[in-house]
Amino acid sequence: MRIVVSNKAGIPIYQQIEDQIKTAILAGDLMEGTLLPSIRQLAKDLQISVITTTRAYHDLEEQGFVNNVQGKGSYVLGQDSALVQEHALREIEAHLSDALAAAQLAKIPVHDLHTMLDTLIAAESGDDGDR
């Protein structure tokens, strides 16, 4: 498993680590029972603080992606597809809520938000907008 972090990404390093590990788990690149690098080894490899890697692993455990076993390491947990989907829905809902709050502050009409979302969906799916 290769993790790449950037100080210039605008995203906290612990979050970058979490996101990359979650992506690998959900994509099936990290299978159930896989031992992750130790907190200290990952910190050394990435040249970051042990506190940062500890935070990432702790958050992953709270979210049900890994099991941290004292003295043995962190292991990937099996993912129930319903739980994975529920987690994704909660994350999407939080992002949409943030977007709605920003739009309300900027006094952007709801119709424009719908148009923006439809445009983003069309761009991601390669749809040219003809429905």
Side-chain angles (χ1 to χ4, degrees):
M1 175 182 70
R2 181 164 185 233
I3 296 177
V4 178
V5 295
S6 170
N7 290 329
K8 299 176 185 176
I11 300 169
I13 291 174
Y14 74 87
Q15 186 67 54
Q16 293 176 52
I17 295 167
E18 284 178 44
D19 290 347
Q20 289 177 53
I21 292 174
K22 281 193 277 189
T23 298
I25 292 170
L26 295 174
D29 296 333
L30 288 175
M31 304 304 288
E32 180 177 356
T34 301
L35 176 64
L36 296 178
S38 73
I39 289 172
R40 291 186 190 283
Q41 186 61 52
L42 184 61
K44 181 180 175 188
D45 291 348
L46 297 176
Q47 299 179 340
I48 59 174
S49 166
V50 169
I51 294 169
T52 301
T53 54
T54 300
R55 165 89 187 259
Y57 278 29
H58 175 75
D59 289 354
L60 287 165
E61 182 176 41
E62 281 187 344
Q63 296 168 27
F65 285 93
V66 302
N67 181 28
N68 297 322
V69 180
Q70 185 72 26
K72 295 196 184 240
S74 298
Y75 295 86
V76 174
L77 290 174
Q79 297 298 305
D80 176 359
S81 61
L83 287 176
V84 170
Q85 185 170 11
E86 181 62 32
H87 175 75
L89 288 172
R90 280 194 315 261
E91 193 168 317
I92 292 165
E93 185 176 327
H95 289 297
L96 288 173
S97 181
D98 290 345
L100 181 58
Q104 289 172 338
L105 283 174
K107 299 190 183 328
I108 295 173
V110 172
H111 172 74
D112 289 350
L113 290 177
H114 285 282
T115 301
M116 290 170 67
L117 184 57
D118 289 341
T119 301
L120 289 170
I121 291 169
E124 283 295 317
S125 67
D127 186 5
D128 62 6
D130 295 335
R131 294 179 196 208

